[in-house]
């Protein structure tokens, strides 16, 4: 079929002709207002099933995110906790309280800034790309991660899994779902992971200073009160006792720290949810949640030992202890068939309220000098939102949504600084969806997202230091807004041999928040702050394809192209970053994967995950190298058992997941270098699972 450029979309749609009902892909998005197929929702959404996670023997969120187009992450701790979507997202949190551009929900509970601790036996992970203010508010300016644990079932279902791998690593997990009565059912997931980590501390003669020790428990209790009402009680518990000793003066996986740090987290969460369909015209859903978390994050700031070079060396240790108490209430009405407005318009109307209390105790020792700093931020959010979906023809639907949100902050710190802030923000979307058939849709989308401003606690705490007086001008930073224009095509081929999703986008950022650094002599003493850099642009495309080339072979191709630009921005060190690529925004990301069913029991899966180089910061020009990671998995399936031998990063490639540019080595008189935290090296493991 020959197609002119102006009708490419029509030609794509023409290839997806009417098919039998059973061939339609059934991946449903659980995080939207209504449960719909990912093929029928406007927007670039990736749905990662448990089977997709198994393809790369994924054990943590890091392993999953590498599969996705235009998605990146930053470490700077024992695990990746900060995610970037389409080149937008934070990379760390020290003193300053940040509002993530990419939020995290687990079973509807807000874990933004804490990350996802375990993906074992998850129902699915959804990655929303682009602003989702109407649905999620301020935590979704660039996107949202939504993880769902196993839903309770009234038929017994369970699984036990165990893995052994190099670096003295092991994992043991289990899931059980069953009925307690005709009305009551539960699901329970437990996961324990441990590893020595991938660092050798040659000064201490240890290989476990960057170790992993994590326990995660998630449970759901479902009560079917009646045909019209059901309740869910959700509980989470996380205990993380990881080490943190990742940066090397020698720029490799050997460290010289005499005081290795730690990355500890202990959190508890509860949520009560009710779904009620007894009203005429609308269904009611509300969820009340509570979360309490304590974290302890510390590191050897000099990355060395006393005596490494007398006369030049310094010795410092930094520790951040945080507490977080939060509650949220999300309450909404969703129309049913009887409640539709004129022209069969479906609608959603809701409100959201939350309160968050965040405290920090920072203790820093430099030589014999001790410095203590603490602050407290109380934040209240109140929002109202709505959405309508109106058919304007048999195949075309207009969706209009919006959200208005007000936040109020009260900031207090030990330096006597007291700042109260409040701001009203709005976001929304308009999409025009053309449903060519049950298997093909084309959409155009215009959306607006936002995130709150805040207080630069680190700038305020360090403004009295010699050479850092300029930080007095960085007490606060403004909210950021983003506008996204998007065009997309989604389709399933007639015989089910091809599933494709393609999106082209252009985003405009206003008052974009960037991380700045003040470090006059590029030595070890420096201070960070959040700054506003005028405007920025991010544009590109992403696609996801599944192609059945043969009944025994399936190919998966995900790819993203991204171009990002900083607006007018000159750093405190007088570097002109105007027009440069934004931080952690690789121009090219991809995964090419294949599933080869050798026999009814034996399957070989292979993937290549690639990423181009990217800048580590908006405040300096240090860059990562490009990476191409090869993963292999050979599995053998019996009726209830599965055994798998797997390799991740088979060719042992070094690749950076966090980077800085400054001087920290007394052996070369603190000359500036690019220092990187390395990602996972070659991993080889054996897994066994039993399902019943």
């Amino acid at each position: 079929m020959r197609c002119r450029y102006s009708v490419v979309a029509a030609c794509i749609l023409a290839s997806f002709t009417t098919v039998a009902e059973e061939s339609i892909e059934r991946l449903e998005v659980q995080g939207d207002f209504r449960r719909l197929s990912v093929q029928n929702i406007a927007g670039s959404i990736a749905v990662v099933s448990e089977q997709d996670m198994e393809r790369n023997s994924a054990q943590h969120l890091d392993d999953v995110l590498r599969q996705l187009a235009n998605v990146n992450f930053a470490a700077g701790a024992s695990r990746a906790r900060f995610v970037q979507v389409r080149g937008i997202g934070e990379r760390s949190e020290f003193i300053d309280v940040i509002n993530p551009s990419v939020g995290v929900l687990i079973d509807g509970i807000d874990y933004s800034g804490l990350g996802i601790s375990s993906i074992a036996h998850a129902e699915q992970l959804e990655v929303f790309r682009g602003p989702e203010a109407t649905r999620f508010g301020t935590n979704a300016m660039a996107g949202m991660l939504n993880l769902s644990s196993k839903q309770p079932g009234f038929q017994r279902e369970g699984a036990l899994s165990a893995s052994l791998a190099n670096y003295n690593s092991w994992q043991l997990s289990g899931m059980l779902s069953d009925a307690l009565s005709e009305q009551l059912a539960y699901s329970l997931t437990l996961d324990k992971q441990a590893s020595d980590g991938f660092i050798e501390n040659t000064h201490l003669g240890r290989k476990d200073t960057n170790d992993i020790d994590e326990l995660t428990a998630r449970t759901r209790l479902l009560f079917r009160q009646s045909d019209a009402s059901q309740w869910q009680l959700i509980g989470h518990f996380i205990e993380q006792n990881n080490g943190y000793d990742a940066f090397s003066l020698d720029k490799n996986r050997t460290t010289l720290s005499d005081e290795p740090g730690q990355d500890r987290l202990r959190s508890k969460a509860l949520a009560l949810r009710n779904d009620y369909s007894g009203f005429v015209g609308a269904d009611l859903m509300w969820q009340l949640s509570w979360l309490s978390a304590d974290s302890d994050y510390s590191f050897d700031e000099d990355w060395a030992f006393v005596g490494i070079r007398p006369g030049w060396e310094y010795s410092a240790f930094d520790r951040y202890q945080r507490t977080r108490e939060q509650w949220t209430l999300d309450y909404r009405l969703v129309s049913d068939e009887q409640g539709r407005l004129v022209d069969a318009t479906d609608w959603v109307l809701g409100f959201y309220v939350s309160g968050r209390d965040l405290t920090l105790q920072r203790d820093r020792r430099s030589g014999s000098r001790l410095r203590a700093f603490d602050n407290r931020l109380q934040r209240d959010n109140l929002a109202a939102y709505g959405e309508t979906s109106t058919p304007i023809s048999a195949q075309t639907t207009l969706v209009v949504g919006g959200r208005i949100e007000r936040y109020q902050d009260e900031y207090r710190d030990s330096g006597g600084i007291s700042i109260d802030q409040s701001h009203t923000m709005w976001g929304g979307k308009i999409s025009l969806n053309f449903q060519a058939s049950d298997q093909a849709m084309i959409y155009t989308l215009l959306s607006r997202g936002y995130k709150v401003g805040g207080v630069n606690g680190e700038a305020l705490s360090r403004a009295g230091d010699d050479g850092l007086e300029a930080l007095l001008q960085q007490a606060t930073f403004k909210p950021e807004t983003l506008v996204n224009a998007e065009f997309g095509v989604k389709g399933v081929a007639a015989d089910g041999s091809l599933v494709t999703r393609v999106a082209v986008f252009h985003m405009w950022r206003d008052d974009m928040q960037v991380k700045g650094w003040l470090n006059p002599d590029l030595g070890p003493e420096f201070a960070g702050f959040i700054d506003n850099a005028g405007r920025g642009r991010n544009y590109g495309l992403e696609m996801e394809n599944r192609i059945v080339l043969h009944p025994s072979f399936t190919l998966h191709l995900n790819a993203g192209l991204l171009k990002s630009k900083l607006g007018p921005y000159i750093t405190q060190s007088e570097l002109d970053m105007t027009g440069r690529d934004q931080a952690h925004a690789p121009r090219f990301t991809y995964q090419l994967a294949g599933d080869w069913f050798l026999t009814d029991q034996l399957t070989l899966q292979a993937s290549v995950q690639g990423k181009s180089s990217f800048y580590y910061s908006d405040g300096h020009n240090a860059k990562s190298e490009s990476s191409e990671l090869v993963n292999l998995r050979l599995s053998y399936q019996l009726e209830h058992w599965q055994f798998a031998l797997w390799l991740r990063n088979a060719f042992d490639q070094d690749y950076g997941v966090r980077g800085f540019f400054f001087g920290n080595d007394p052996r070369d008189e603190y000359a500036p270098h690019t220092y990187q935290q390395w990602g996972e090296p070659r991993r080889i493991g054996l897994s066994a699972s039993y399902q019943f």
Side-chain angles (χ1 to χ4, degrees), residues 327 353-357 378-382 405-410 421 423:
W327 63 271
V353 59
S354 70
R356 183 173 294 186
D357 191 345
Q378 293 178 286
R379 172 171 291 167
D380 296 316
N381 290 66
L382 178 64
E405 183 165 358
R406 183 170 180 82
Y407 77 92
Q408 183 169 345
D409 285 354
E410 294 182 2
Q421 291 191 112
H423 204 277

Side-chain angles (χ1 to χ4, degrees), residues 359-652:
T359 68
L360 166 69
Q361 172 65 47
R362 183 198 187 189
D363 296 298
R364 182 176 184 268
R365 190 197 71 245
S366 180
S368 60
R369 182 185 180 187
L370 300 176
R371 183 200 301 269
F373 176 81
D374 62 80
N375 63 24
R376 181 178 184 180
L377 178 69
Q378 293 178 286
R379 172 171 291 167
D380 296 316
N381 290 66
L382 178 64
Y385 58 86
E387 183 178 281
T388 61
S389 178
T390 304
I392 57 178
S393 73
Q395 295 175 297
T396 307
T397 303
L398 176 67
V399 179
V400 179
R403 185 183 191 107
I404 186 168
E405 183 165 358
R406 183 170 180 82
Y407 77 92
Q408 183 169 345
D409 285 354
E410 294 182 2
Y411 174 88
R412 307 289 185 269
D413 68 30
S414 57
I417 302 297
S418 176
I419 297 177
D420 293 344
Q421 291 191 112
S422 63
H423 204 277
T424 300
M425 302 165 295
W426 67 273
K429 68 177 182 180
I430 300 175
S431 72
L432 195 63
N433 308 336
F434 177 71
Q435 196 74 45
S437 69
D438 289 340
Q439 290 72 51
M441 185 184 81
I442 182 172
Y443 69 88
T444 57
L445 170 68
L446 183 67
S447 55
R448 186 181 193 268
Y450 57 85
K451 69 172 179 176
V452 304
V455 177
N456 273 318
E458 184 168 10
L460 296 172
S461 71
R462 300 289 300 279
D465 292 2
D466 292 341
L468 301 179
E469 295 82 0
L471 291 173
L472 287 171
Q473 307 302 317
Q474 305 293 337
T476 62
F477 53 94
K478 296 183 292 185
E480 178 181 350
T481 59
L482 182 150
V483 175
N484 171 58
E486 189 171 319
F487 170 84
V489 177
K490 302 182 179 185
V492 181
D495 58 358
S497 62
L498 171 65
V499 178
T500 187
R501 294 184 282 272
V502 182
V504 181
F505 61 90
H506 197 131
M507 304 194 298
W508 295 266
R509 303 175 68 179
D510 195 17
D511 287 324
M512 62 178 293
Q513 296 172 10
V514 297
K515 184 72 173 182
W517 300 93
L518 190 62
N519 179 216
D521 59 1
L522 293 179
E525 294 289 338
F526 57 93
F529 56 91
I530 299 176
D531 199 2
N532 293 96
R535 292 182 172 86
R537 287 194 298 158
N538 302 61
Y539 53 93
L541 67 86
E542 53 235 357
M543 65 176 180
E544 298 174 331
N545 301 279
R546 188 193 71 205
I547 310 168
V548 180
L549 297 176
H550 185 271
S552 63
F553 186 77
T554 301
L555 187 69
H556 305 263
L557 173 61
N558 302 333
L561 294 174
L562 175 66
K563 182 70 173 98
S564 63
K565 291 184 178 181
L566 287 167
Y569 180 51
I570 298 177
T571 72
Q572 291 285 346
S573 301
E574 299 184 352
L575 289 175
D576 188 352
M577 297 297 188
T578 304
R580 202 209 69 178
D581 288 359
Q582 297 167 22
H584 271 251
R587 293 191 176 188
F588 186 46
T589 53
Y590 73 90
Q591 174 182 258
L592 180 64
D595 301 335
W596 187 10
F597 303 97
L598 302 173
T599 69
D600 290 342
Q601 290 80 33
L602 193 63
T603 303
L604 176 64
Q605 296 168 306
S607 68
V608 181
Q609 298 167 342
K611 186 182 301 181
S612 63
S613 65
F614 55 87
Y615 290 99
Y616 282 123
S617 173
D618 296 318
H620 56 72
N621 286 316
K623 296 182 70 173
S624 75
E625 299 290 335
S626 61
S627 62
E628 297 81 27
L629 308 182
V630 176
N631 309 299
L632 299 168
R633 178 184 174 94
L634 182 66
S635 60
Y636 186 76
Q637 180 73 53
L638 299 174
E639 183 178 1
H640 295 289
W641 286 92
Q642 184 187 77
F643 301 94
L645 176 66
W646 48 267
L647 268 171
R648 290 200 302 264
N649 190 6
F651 295 103
D652 201 22

Side-chain angles (χ1 to χ4, degrees), residues 52-68:
D52 294 325
M53 299 179 194
E54 287 180 352
R55 179 175 298 109
N56 291 313
S57 304
Q59 295 175 291
H60 191 265
L61 181 65
D62 310 23
D63 307 319
V64 177
L65 295 181
R66 295 189 187 98
Q67 304 177 28
L68 305 176

Side-chain angles (χ1 to χ4, degrees), residues 329-371:
L329 174 63
D330 194 359
Y331 189 100
R332 65 175 175 264
L333 290 167
V334 181
S335 67
D336 59 20
E337 291 187 5
Q338 296 179 355
R340 288 173 173 168
L341 303 177
V342 179
D343 299 324
T345 296
D346 285 315
W347 54 269
V348 176
L349 183 63
F351 73 85
Y352 171 90
V353 59
S354 70
R356 183 173 294 186
D357 191 345
L358 306 167
T359 68
L360 166 69
Q361 172 65 47
R362 183 198 187 189
D363 296 298
R364 182 176 184 268
R365 190 197 71 245
S366 180
S368 60
R369 182 185 180 187
L370 300 176
R371 183 200 301 269

